[in-house]
Amino acid sequence: MFSHLKNLCSFIYLDCLETRGRANSFLSIIDDLGKGLGPFFFSKMISPLGRERAFNLSLIGWLIGGTITIGMFFTIRRDEEKVQFEIRDRLEHHNNQSQSQNS
């Protein structure tokens, strides 16, 4: 379970613009699957574990996800600055290439 969360965390902090969209699409699909399949699996856990244990187990998953989200709060500004710098750098590089081709 924790290796899966580690992989999701690595997708969140990607700096490369080309892979950022793919990573967010992947996370969106996983989120939608969790919304659809989560209640199904939870209902299947009630019989063997009991209602209280099943709720406690699902709460642990929610707490882990919430902790990851709170961790993003502390890095989002720095991540946004990196992305803006990369966009400016690529745009300047593209403009320089266009000017050299026109000369």
Side-chain angles (χ1 to χ4, degrees):
M1 177 177 160
F2 290 107
S3 62
H4 178 67
L5 290 174
K6 181 180 175 185
N7 290 337
L8 288 178
C9 289
S10 66
F11 278 121
I12 292 170
Y13 295 106
L14 289 174
D15 289 328
C16 186
L17 296 174
E18 288 82 8
T19 55
R20 177 173 289 223
R22 288 187 210 126
N24 284 328
S25 297
F26 176 74
L27 288 174
S28 178
I29 290 170
I30 295 297
D31 185 47
D32 289 343
L33 284 173
K35 289 176 187 173
L37 295 176
F40 171 76
F41 286 122
F42 176 75
S43 67
K44 296 297 180 188
M45 289 189 318
I46 290 176
S47 295
L49 298 176
R51 186 175 175 88
E52 187 174 332
R53 282 191 179 158
F55 272 111
N56 289 339
L57 187 60
S58 65
L59 180 64
I60 289 170
W62 183 86
L63 289 173
I64 292 170
T67 303
I68 292 169
T69 303
I70 289 171
M72 287 177 11
F73 169 80
F74 295 107
T75 61
I76 195 82
R77 203 170 267 160
R78 184 172 21 115
D79 183 46
E80 179 65 25
E81 289 171 359
K82 284 181 183 178
V83 170
Q84 291 297 327
F85 177 78
E86 187 173 339
I87 290 171
R88 276 190 228 108
D89 189 44
R90 287 183 183 193
L91 187 59
E92 287 174 9
H93 180 71
H94 177 72
N95 288 340
N96 290 340
Q97 281 184 340
S98 296
Q99 289 175 355
S100 65
Q101 288 175 356
N102 291 336
S103 310

